[in-house]
Amino acid sequence: MTRDDIEFDVSFGYWYNFLNEKFYSRWDLVFNLVQLIGGSAAAAGVMAGSSALVAASGVALAVCAALSLAWQPGIKAERHCNAKKDFLDLKGCMLSLSDAELAKECAALQKGEAGMPSLNVPALNMTRRALGDAYDFKAMTGWQRFVMRLSS
């Protein structure tokens, strides 16, 4: 690998983790809002004596809590935030590292938290844009564009 390839990988690692952090933190926010609204609706249902509202709220809370516990978007967002910071720190000290040291540090960071595979191409395009290559973008599928919109 050339120095340029390694520097590209460092920049890609930053943008990939940036998008994943945003994606997971937004889902964490959605789950928290559903739980907040569901809890309020259950309380209102109890006060109004509406067993249907209490039951519907309970189901929504249970499903949301199960998804949140199984998927753990808040924890994943924090891990990607830390990885993003690590790539940014590595980018800041790139000039003081040899090619071999830089490649070793970059490879160690790439072994971190796996993210959404659908964010690979958006992160690639963001990396190319950040490095000044505004013309060599890879086409995204509809799903990749959707996931990117959730992440940015």
Side-chain angles (χ1 to χ4, degrees):
M1 283 180 96
T2 67
R3 177 87 178 190
D4 288 340
D5 292 336
I6 300 168
E7 289 179 6
F8 185 90
D9 285 351
V10 170
S11 187
F12 175 83
Y14 169 81
W15 288 109
Y16 181 70
N17 284 288
F18 171 84
L19 290 173
N20 275 282
E21 175 196 3
K22 296 295 183 191
F23 178 82
Y24 287 117
S25 65
R26 294 216 169 114
W27 277 109
D28 188 45
L29 177 66
V30 166
F31 288 148
N32 288 334
L33 287 174
V34 168
Q35 290 176 15
L36 177 68
I37 293 167
S40 300
V46 167
M47 292 165 82
S50 173
S51 60
L53 182 59
V54 173
S57 299
V59 169
L61 286 170
V63 168
C64 189
L67 288 173
S68 185
L69 284 172
W71 198 24
Q72 299 183 332
I75 292 171
K76 289 181 180 183
E78 184 179 350
R79 288 180 183 160
H80 283 289
C81 179
N82 292 335
K84 176 186 76 173
K85 290 176 186 174
D86 291 341
F87 275 104
L88 196 57
D89 290 343
L90 182 57
K91 187 175 183 175
C93 67
M94 276 193 305
L95 297 176
S96 65
L97 298 174
S98 69
D99 291 357
E101 292 171 327
L102 182 58
K104 181 181 174 186
E105 292 292 326
C106 183
L109 290 178
Q110 288 173 336
K111 292 180 182 177
E113 179 79 17
M116 292 284 298
S118 301
L119 290 172
N120 283 339
V121 173
L124 177 69
N125 289 339
M126 291 176 83
T127 303
R128 288 178 174 164
R129 179 177 295 141
L131 295 176
D133 186 2
Y135 301 104
D136 189 21
F137 290 113
K138 189 169 181 184
M140 291 189 287
T141 64
W143 175 250
Q144 289 168 333
R145 282 193 299 275
F146 174 73
V147 173
M148 188 181 118
R149 296 244 191 285
L150 291 176
S151 305
S152 55

